[in-house]
Amino acid sequence: TVIDDVADLNKLKFDYIVVGAGTSGVVVANRLTENKDISVLLLEAGGSNADVLDIEVPWLCLIATPDTAQDWNFTTTAQPGLNGRAIAYPRGFGLGGSSAVNYMIYTRGARDDFDRFARVTGDNSWSWDNLVPYMKKTERFSPPADRHNTTGQFDPSVHGFNGINTVSLQGFPTGIDSRVFAVTDELAEFPFNLDMNSGNTIGIGSTQVTIKDGVRSSSATSYLAPEFINRPNLHVLLNAHVTRVLPATTGSFRTVELVHGSNVTRLTVTAGKEVVLSAGSIGTPTILQHSGIGNASFLTQLGISPLVDLPSVGQNLTDHVLLLDSWFVNSTDTIDEANRNATLFGEQLAQWEDTHTGPLVNVAGSQIGWLRLPANASIFERFEDPASGPTAAHFEILFENGKLGPPTPEGTSYISISNALVAPTSRGFVTINSTDPLAAPLIHPNLLGTEVDIFIMREALRASARFAAAPSLKDYIITFDSFDPAFTDAQLEEYIRANSGTVFHPVGTAAMSAKGAGFGVVDPDLAVKEVSGLRIVDLSVLPFIPAAHTQAAAYIIAERAADIIKAAQC
Ligand SMILES: Cc1cc2nc3c(=O)[nH]c(=O)nc-3n(C[C@H](O)[C@H](O)[C@H](O)COP(=O)(O)OP(=O)(O)OC[C@H]3O[C@@H](n4cnc5c(N)ncnc54)[C@H](O)[C@@H]3O)c2cc1C
């Protein structure tokens, strides 16, 4: 039930307060309110996001951020690894959080990623095998928008078909599909992978997406569908920017302070049992630091009384790096024409509005793949392999039937063969910079901050160039557009630093560690160390970044967290 009058906050009692109605927070609020005797208040800084076309139409995700009403509109600090550029750092603002603005690619990650979580936290319940039930529980694997025959495009045995969030395959064929798959037969370094969500990610396969019948499926449209949001024991307050958590009694942080809408008066509300922070990898450490939970000497310098000295808060920010690359092709059957021809695009949008079919039901990335450096790569002579294990990639390769970005000149057509660095060794931070809790924090993802990261990116581009030279693409690709495959190491590095950005996957800023470890922010049960009444459930808790697009991890962790919280009720 959406609370219309903020004065009602005083009249109601809440067992739990969940801060942030994003990907993870909504899952927790949904699962806890399955028990009608449990009352939950879900607080979201943004609005409802209902009926926003750029959110609903899959292809339009490309313009849903940055600099929009459903984005926090953050900017990073100047990034040394990007030649000093500061870049936009989108985060979803409003119901669904980042799941309402993301690009919908759905990848769980590698078996080794989760097994590493189990290893570093000393808690085997975070292992892949123990999380598979939650992977299936969240997922309703469904037919694609065009109802095409999906045999041979995924492995049904690894999926869930009765969950809440829809996962499907892309729903419109593209002109490059058969060529990309043909290359997996031609070049051994690019194997075919029937289902990258099986635990073994390595290889190239069909992209799985959170799209239901041609429309985005976010945590807001799935876990907050009418039958859930209308539960009498689930109370949702929109436009509620949480400023701090406060100790209700010494050490028990069950009180939340917030401002509502444009009213600057700070309100407080107290949970009977627990507060769950699900404000994401930027929001959660920001709230903690304003609350005096963080590096005590840093907070003192800033003028905030430290209440709990947890120096890991806001540290360990880890993100993936994306570089879009294109090649000229001799076809007109690409997205480039609709990108520059308003009439054609209008027809596609009309088709989507009529039937939720057509090219706009797709998202960028007709196929994706996950690849590793060779075991004898020279970088491993001096540095440890940063990947979690053999099922996890060092870099991703993403294909699209045309060039992404602004319209291209008349008569030009492209294929994109892009790359992401998915085993980064760089670590950055999120820190507050002012005592004003409404001020944006400093965000330093430290993209391409290490020699290992630039090495992996260079080799990823070289792999893309080898892909582009495969027999099935030889007559299709005319020449390079973005970078010359003959570039030297130095030229490639210069090109990468000048053109890379984020894949929007920040994690790790309130990381889990073993109970009693002298670092980290939460224990393996996601309870904040050294306090009571406060848990964190969002991607800030990940100690390492999975080699995958990260939304699936948010759903999986939140499903398990809900069970942890329920078990603690008794
Ligand atoms: C543009 C973009 C594209 C992406 N593409 C993909 C993709 O294709 N595939 C994929 O897997 N992942 C993708 N991601 C990443 C993925 O969406 C996120 O990793 C994931 O959704 C994060 O979940 P979360 O629960 O940690 O945080 P979020 O979903 O961001 O939720 C945090 C919520 O907390 C709210 N909040 C924050 N601070 C406060 C406060 N002080 N008070 C009240 N509320 C607050 C926010 O408004 C938000 O609703 C993308 C992300 C973006 C931004």
Side-chain angles (χ1 to χ4, degrees), residues 423-445:
T425 59
S426 304
R427 300 290 182 266
F429 58 77
V430 177
T431 55
I432 58 172
N433 192 28
S434 139
T435 54
D436 174 6
L438 301 181
L442 294 177
I443 303 173
H444 172 51

Side-chain angles (χ1 to χ4, degrees), residues 115-336:
D115 289 349
R116 177 159 67 177
F117 299 152
R119 212 165 48 243
V120 300
T121 61
D123 183 336
N124 204 40
S125 53
W126 290 108
S127 70
W128 172 272
D129 283 339
N130 285 322
L131 288 174
V132 165
Y134 293 106
M135 297 176 188
K136 292 190 171 175
K137 186 177 184 187
T138 179
E139 196 177 301
R140 180 177 289 261
F141 205 89
S142 304
D146 61 359
R147 298 292 191 271
H148 73 262
N149 182 350
T150 54
T151 310
Q153 297 181 3
F154 78 112
D155 176 359
S157 73
V158 305
H159 288 282
F161 294 85
N162 302 307
I164 294 184
N165 190 26
T166 299
V167 178
S168 66
L169 293 159
Q170 301 259 38
F172 191 78
T174 88
I176 59 168
D177 297 349
S178 57
R179 287 181 195 274
V180 170
F181 286 120
V183 177
T184 66
D185 285 334
E186 292 165 357
L187 301 182
E189 72 168 303
F190 303 105
F192 174 70
N193 187 337
L194 174 63
D195 200 318
M196 59 189 75
N197 281 332
S198 67
N200 179 18
T201 63
I202 303 303
I204 291 169
S206 298
T207 310
Q208 298 179 18
V209 287
T210 42
I211 296 176
K212 181 183 184 185
D213 296 328
V215 183
R216 175 195 294 270
S217 178
S218 68
S219 68
T221 64
S222 56
Y223 283 84
L224 278 188
E227 69 265 39
F228 303 123
I229 199 171
N230 291 327
R231 282 177 182 159
N233 55 335
L234 173 55
H235 308 274
V236 181
L237 184 65
L238 299 173
N239 307 309
H241 189 133
V242 170
T243 47
R244 295 189 296 172
V245 285
L246 309 170
T249 52
T250 310
S252 177
F253 283 78
R254 287 182 291 108
T255 298
V256 165
E257 180 191 72
L258 62 108
V259 293
H260 185 245
S262 54
N263 191 337
V264 294
T265 314
R266 296 205 192 167
L267 310 171
T268 58
V269 49
T270 299
K273 294 183 190 298
E274 279 186 14
V275 169
V276 178
L277 288 182
S278 297
S281 296
I282 308 301
T284 289
T286 303
I287 294 169
L288 288 172
Q289 291 171 74
H290 281 296
S291 309
I293 304 174
N295 183 318
S297 55
F298 168 75
L299 292 175
T300 307
Q301 271 170 29
L302 199 66
I304 290 179
S305 305
L307 300 182
V308 186
D309 186 17
L310 283 180
S312 299
V313 171
Q315 301 301 304
N316 191 44
L317 173 59
T318 315
D319 196 0
H320 294 149
V321 177
L322 177 69
L323 181 47
L324 298 177
D325 286 311
S326 47
W327 305 71
F328 289 103
V329 299
N330 63 14
S331 164
T332 50
D333 175 21
T334 68
I335 61 161
D336 303 292

Side-chain angles (χ1 to χ4, degrees), residues 511-535:
M512 272 194 281
S513 65
K515 228 178 160 57
F519 61 94
V521 178
V522 296
D523 284 337
D525 63 358
L526 306 181
V528 176
K529 292 176 188 288
E530 295 180 32
V531 307
S532 63
L534 188 60
R535 243 181 257 268

Side-chain angles (χ1 to χ4, degrees), residues 22-24 44-45 72 97-98 102-105 242 539 549-551:
T23 318
S24 322
E44 168 55 40
W72 280 81
S98 296
N102 69 19
Y103 293 3
M104 289 162 265
I105 294 175
V242 170
L539 289 189
H549 297 257
T550 43
Q551 67 165 337

